[in-house]
Amino acid sequence: AEITEMIHTASLFHDDVIDEADTRRGQPAAHHVFGNKMAILAGDYLLARASISLARLRNVDVVECMSTVIEHLVRGEVLQIKDSRTGVTDMEGYLRKNFYKTASLMANSCKSAALLRGNVTPAVVDAAYCYGKHIGVAFQLIDDALDFEGSAASLGKPALADLNAGLSTAPVLFAAESLGHQLIPAMARKFKEPGDVELALRCIHEADGVNRTKKLATIHAEKAMDAVMGALEPSPFRDSLVHLACRVVDRSS
Ligand code: FPP
Ligand code: MG
């Protein structure tokens, strides 16, 4: 968990520089306080400390899982930068990017926890990966829905950040399924013309894009629950995992 948290925090230090975000978790983003160079180096340092802790586990399978996460985080960010340049993506590409930028960290961290526990069947290791993957996809879908619903105060980071960065996330993509003739030109312009953001918000409202995103997140949370219910014996720990899957889709911040 410590290693996962260090990798996650390192990626956010870097992400806030790339996204030029003002705030993170309700506080000024690190690059605002310490400058870009220090924020990037702080991310690198955390990544280095995480690598040392990982090596000290003396488990090559876990090293492979967690190194794969770092590769996937970078891959996800590159896909996102490409999307933000062209302004256009489809649901399949969006979900693939979400796996790389969010779900892989959770999938491989859960798998690593199962591997480190030892004495577990391959089915339990697979279930742990499957649980983390679906929790990750659900988490990112809710994150993308909240970007439209939340305020900067409730989110602790800027609202409507994705649209303003020219990114089309699930609520926009659902709206584009039925209202593409209106939305696709604005998506391709990365919502930069006056009125584009308002147009996107109107289309999302008309197509119920935010609720459809939340429903898709719920389907993934249920898949996460099914994974642990099918592979683990009843226990308070299994209950906690099921509870966590509910919390991921119920959150409002
Ligand atoms: C947040 O996404 C960002 C990520 C999930 C990953 C960022 C990854 C990198 C910058 C690659 C470098 C990786 C390492 C390990 C140093 P978001 O911008 O959609 O979410 P937000 O609204 O919380 O900022
Ligand atoms: Mg960001």
Side-chain angles (χ1 to χ4, degrees):
E2 268 180 35
I3 292 166
T4 297
E5 191 61 34
M6 283 194 278
I7 294 172
H8 175 55
T9 305
S11 77
L12 294 183
F13 276 144
H14 287 194
D15 181 68
D16 284 342
V17 172
I18 294 170
D19 290 352
E20 298 175 22
D22 289 334
T23 50
R24 170 69 64 185
R25 296 175 186 159
Q27 303 290 327
H31 67 100
H32 261 290
V33 182
F34 304 105
N36 280 356
K37 290 179 187 172
M38 284 303 242
I40 294 293
L41 286 169
D44 291 346
Y45 182 77
L46 273 176
L47 210 50
R49 294 300 315 184
S51 304
I52 292 168
S53 299
L54 191 55
R56 286 186 182 148
L57 293 173
R58 305 279 185 260
N59 186 316
V60 283
D61 291 334
V62 172
V63 170
E64 187 174 347
C65 279
M66 299 310 290
S67 307
T68 302
V69 168
I70 299 171
E71 189 214 326
H72 284 175
L73 283 168
V74 177
R75 199 183 273 238
E77 195 67 17
V78 170
L79 286 173
Q80 180 153 308
I81 289 172
K82 282 188 179 163
D83 284 350
S84 72
R85 284 189 182 154
T86 62
V88 178
T89 185
D90 56 16
M91 191 59 93
E92 196 189 327
Y94 162 81
L95 290 171
R96 189 178 320 116
K97 177 193 72 183
N98 280 0
F99 169 76
Y100 286 127
K101 69 178 248 198
T102 308
S104 175
L105 176 72
M106 302 200 193
N108 282 296
S109 298
C110 291
K111 180 177 174 182
S112 296
L115 289 170
L116 288 167
R117 165 82 170 70
N119 206 15
V120 290
T121 63
V124 169
V125 175
D126 287 349
Y129 181 91
C130 188
Y131 175 82
K133 184 178 89 171
H134 288 295
I135 286 276
V137 173
F139 180 90
Q140 190 59 50
L141 285 165
I142 294 294
D143 212 57
D144 293 343
L146 290 176
D147 196 49
F148 288 92
E149 273 198 332
S151 64
S154 71
L155 298 176
K157 57 186 185 181
L160 289 184
D162 295 328
L163 272 192
N164 288 321
L167 281 174
S168 295
T169 56
V172 179
L173 296 172
F174 276 125
E177 282 176 6
S178 48
L179 301 166
H181 55 292
Q182 293 179 54
L183 256 182
I184 289 171
M187 288 162 71
R189 288 195 297 267
K190 293 173 268 175
F191 311 106
K192 288 289 178 273
E193 296 276 310
D196 281 350
V197 168
E198 293 73 16
L199 168 79
L201 294 177
R202 262 199 321 277
C203 290
I204 291 167
H205 180 71
E206 198 176 315
D208 207 19
V210 172
N211 282 330
R212 286 165 75 188
T213 302
K214 288 184 179 177
K215 273 191 195 137
L216 183 59
T218 304
I219 291 170
H220 281 281
E222 282 167 2
K223 285 187 180 171
M225 290 178 207
D226 289 347
V228 289
M229 293 300 283
L232 302 184
E233 295 298 321
S235 72
F237 311 112
R238 191 179 77 170
D239 293 345
S240 294
L241 290 169
V242 169
H243 182 63
L244 180 67
C246 297
R247 287 282 300 277
V248 164
V249 283
D250 280 347
R251 74 196 176 95
S252 58
S253 62

